Amino acid sequence: MQQTGGHTLKAFDQDIDRVRALISQMGGLAEHAIGEAMRCLVQRDSDGALRVVENDKKLDALEIETERRAVQLIALRAPMAGDLRDVVAALKISGVVERIGDYAKNIAKRVPQLEHAGKIEPLSLLPEMARIATGMVHDVLDSFVQRDAEAALDVCRRDSAVDDFYDSIFRTLLTHMMENPHTIGQSAHLLFVAKNLERVGDHATNIAEMVYYAATGQHMADHSRTDALTDRK
Amino acid sequence: MQQTGGHTLKAFDQDIDRVRALISQMGGLAEHAIGEAMRCLVQRDSDGALRVVENDKKLDALEIETERRAVQLIALRAPMAGDLRDVVAALKISGVVERIGDYAKNIAKRVPQLEHAGKIEPLSLLPEMARIATGMVHDVLDSFVQRDAEAALDVCRRDSAVDDFYDSIFRTLLTHMMENPHTIGQSAHLLFVAKNLERVGDHATNIAEMVYYAATGQHMADHSRTDALTDRK
């Protein structure tokens, strides 16, 4: 069923490059959304947060477009082996990037509830945690475009830094809640923001596994999997 | 490329039925895992919770098996149109069911930290919330096996009950935290348990959208989408 003529292979390459470009575009939007949501959180910018929520629709539309093209590619080109793994990875990765966008939207939705919050210590740690997590998203999507299994492994290794941030912020917030019971509502929202960022790191790790499998045909060895992957929902 | 001979169509049907059976099996394990995690939480059964965590590996293995068969099916049978949508839906749904299992695992992991917790009011609401959410998972996977778009829509409509439970438990827990600052750590764990269950409902809704698209070729109309889908990470 696979076409081995140069013309058809070239057509497949063009098609999959287009799909990869869509995923890169989705990644850029998701990264930007998280950065913006964190800026709005720190600066108490509820109007900006509303724009982050609104812009999430672009990501949803791009996911549908990516899926449409990937499915069409399978139907028209009947890719095999590594090519098929690539298209399947693209299908799955676009879904994960869309969910990363949802986390940004969820953070943005909490901004109005924190508009009048006083100084809460972890608010200064969260943006740095967000930078590390979005850096992972950026690099893992690059590794997909480059089919670079080693770079994907490297992203997995960085997830423990995000987890450490989460543990530290979790403890700091609980202490803050005990000492300032009147801020418990606001602190609970920040707990969920921290959890969302921790999940962004998990999702980047998740994508890394997909990239590794697509590039090598092997599932990432257990010893190199960070357990954080699925442990801290 | 599509084979229209009776023999090949029958082979596709057999293959996709096998994939559907795997997904049903995954769904059964995920439902059971959530039920067990909640039982362990209520009964402070840390040993049982450990088994829930351990059993999650079965779900991970089944997801890999489902993906392997789905990809093989695409490569060997080159399905088109509705058949192709079905296989792609199967691929995506198996990933979502695996994540539902992760939520059960995450709830189970919190059990030891609540072993010595006193009476916390929402602990009596959480099992009922879990029953509604797992009921949605059960019914949406049935709708996939039956290719029943209407049943999938019906599952979406039920998500608001899960969301209402979440809102109520969230408020009750915050009040409990303010009045009992020494239980803040335990209450924070229960907040995340409630959030996990709320996410299980979202994921069931998510699967419903995939079932609807696979069965009809149309994306679920916006008016029938419950917004909770992606809103409450």
Side-chain angles (χ1 to χ4, degrees):
Chain A
M1 226 161 298
Q2 190 182 29
Q3 316 282 325
T4 49
H7 175 75
T8 307
L9 278 183
K10 195 151 177 292
F12 173 82
D13 288 345
Q14 280 175 352
D15 288 351
I16 189 81
D17 280 352
R18 178 83 189 105
V19 171
R20 285 184 205 279
L22 279 170
I23 288 179
S24 282
Q25 194 185 343
M26 288 182 73
L29 286 178
E31 275 176 64
H32 179 74
I34 289 177
E36 262 298 283
M38 294 310 296
R39 184 195 64 72
C40 293
L41 192 73
V42 171
Q43 300 181 355
R44 271 70 159 174
D45 178 357
S46 292
D47 290 340
L50 209 63
R51 282 193 298 275
V52 173
V53 173
E54 196 55 34
N55 281 336
D56 187 59
K57 288 180 188 150
K58 288 185 200 158
L59 261 181
D60 294 342
L62 278 173
E63 188 204 359
I64 290 174
E65 172 69 7
T66 306
E67 181 178 329
R68 196 184 62 76
R69 281 182 179 266
V71 170
Q72 199 177 48
L73 204 168
I74 293 172
L76 290 182
R77 310 281 178 215
M80 304 279 278
D83 288 346
L84 181 54
R85 285 202 308 275
D86 257 6
V87 187
V88 171
L91 258 178
K92 295 169 73 175
I93 290 171
S94 68
V96 181
V97 178
E98 189 272 331
R99 282 201 297 284
I100 291 174
D102 284 344
Y103 287 115
K105 182 166 82 166
N106 186 264
I107 293 171
K109 285 193 168 187
R110 296 185 191 274
V111 170
Q113 281 145 309
L114 287 156
E115 206 168 16
H116 304 295
K119 186 170 160 38
I120 299 181
E121 174 58 23
L123 208 45
S124 56
L125 289 175
L126 285 167
E128 180 56 21
M129 184 182 176
R131 263 188 295 274
I132 299 177
T134 51
M136 287 172 67
V137 173
H138 181 92
D139 292 349
V140 81
L141 293 179
D142 264 7
S143 79
F144 177 61
V145 173
Q146 312 287 339
R147 301 199 83 204
D148 186 341
E150 272 306 311
L153 266 174
D154 184 59
V155 169
C156 286
R157 290 188 196 105
R158 283 149 62 187
D159 194 42
S160 60
V162 177
D163 291 338
D164 289 345
F165 258 102
Y166 175 73
D167 289 339
S168 165
I169 291 172
F170 182 83
R171 279 195 303 269
T172 311
L173 274 171
L174 286 203
T175 307
H176 186 87
M177 286 164 130
M178 285 180 216
E179 290 168 357
N180 307 276
H182 61 285
T183 69
I184 277 177
Q186 293 156 0
S187 298
H189 284 299
L190 290 183
L191 264 187
F192 282 120
V193 170
K195 175 54 81 178
N196 284 344
L197 293 176
E198 192 258 337
R199 295 292 298 144
V200 170
D202 285 351
H203 279 330
T205 310
N206 217 328
I207 294 175
E209 288 198 302
M210 296 170 186
V211 171
Y212 190 91
Y213 179 70
T216 66
Q218 306 287 318
H219 290 283
M220 210 179 262
D222 280 350
H223 71 90
S224 63
R225 276 182 72 177
T226 61
D227 211 14
L229 217 84
T230 50
D231 278 353
R232 301 175 189 229
K233 291 254 151 35
Chain B
M1 225 163 299
Q2 191 182 27
Q3 317 282 325
T4 49
H7 176 75
T8 307
L9 277 182
K10 196 149 177 290
F12 173 82
D13 288 344
Q14 279 175 352
D15 288 351
I16 188 83
D17 280 351
R18 178 81 190 109
V19 171
R20 285 184 205 279
L22 279 170
I23 287 179
S24 282
Q25 195 185 343
M26 289 183 72
L29 287 177
E31 274 177 65
H32 180 74
I34 289 177
E36 263 298 283
M38 294 310 296
R39 184 195 62 74
C40 294
L41 192 73
V42 172
Q43 300 180 356
R44 272 69 160 174
D45 178 357
S46 292
D47 291 339
L50 211 62
R51 282 193 297 276
V52 173
V53 173
E54 196 56 31
N55 282 337
D56 188 59
K57 288 180 188 150
K58 290 185 200 159
L59 262 181
D60 295 342
L62 279 173
E63 188 203 1
I64 290 174
E65 173 68 8
T66 307
E67 181 178 329
R68 196 185 62 76
R69 281 182 179 267
V71 169
Q72 199 178 45
L73 205 169
I74 293 172
L76 290 182
R77 312 280 178 216
M80 305 279 279
D83 288 345
L84 182 55
R85 285 201 309 274
D86 257 5
V87 188
V88 171
L91 259 177
K92 295 169 75 175
I93 290 171
S94 69
V96 180
V97 178
E98 189 272 331
R99 281 200 297 285
I100 291 173
D102 285 344
Y103 287 115
K105 181 166 82 167
N106 186 265
I107 292 170
K109 285 194 168 188
R110 296 185 191 273
V111 170
Q113 281 147 309
L114 288 157
E115 207 169 14
H116 304 294
K119 187 170 160 40
I120 298 181
E121 173 60 23
L123 208 44
S124 56
L125 289 175
L126 285 168
E128 180 57 21
M129 184 183 177
R131 264 188 294 275
I132 299 176
T134 51
M136 289 172 67
V137 173
H138 180 92
D139 292 348
V140 82
L141 292 180
D142 264 7
S143 79
F144 177 61
V145 173
Q146 313 287 340
R147 300 199 84 203
D148 186 340
E150 272 307 309
L153 266 174
D154 185 58
V155 168
C156 288
R157 290 187 197 107
R158 283 148 65 187
D159 194 43
S160 62
V162 177
D163 291 339
D164 290 345
F165 258 101
Y166 175 72
D167 289 339
S168 165
I169 291 171
F170 182 83
R171 278 195 304 269
T172 311
L173 274 171
L174 287 202
T175 308
H176 185 88
M177 286 164 130
M178 284 181 216
E179 290 168 358
N180 307 276
H182 61 286
T183 70
I184 278 177
Q186 294 156 0
S187 299
H189 284 297
L190 290 183
L191 263 187
F192 282 120
V193 170
K195 176 52 84 178
N196 285 344
L197 293 176
E198 191 258 337
R199 294 292 298 142
V200 170
D202 285 351
H203 280 328
T205 310
N206 216 326
I207 294 175
E209 287 197 303
M210 296 170 187
V211 171
Y212 189 92
Y213 178 69
T216 66
Q218 305 287 318
H219 290 282
M220 210 179 260
D222 279 352
H223 68 89
S224 63
R225 275 183 72 174
T226 60
D227 210 14
L229 217 83
T230 50
D231 277 353
R232 302 178 186 225
K233 288 260 151 32

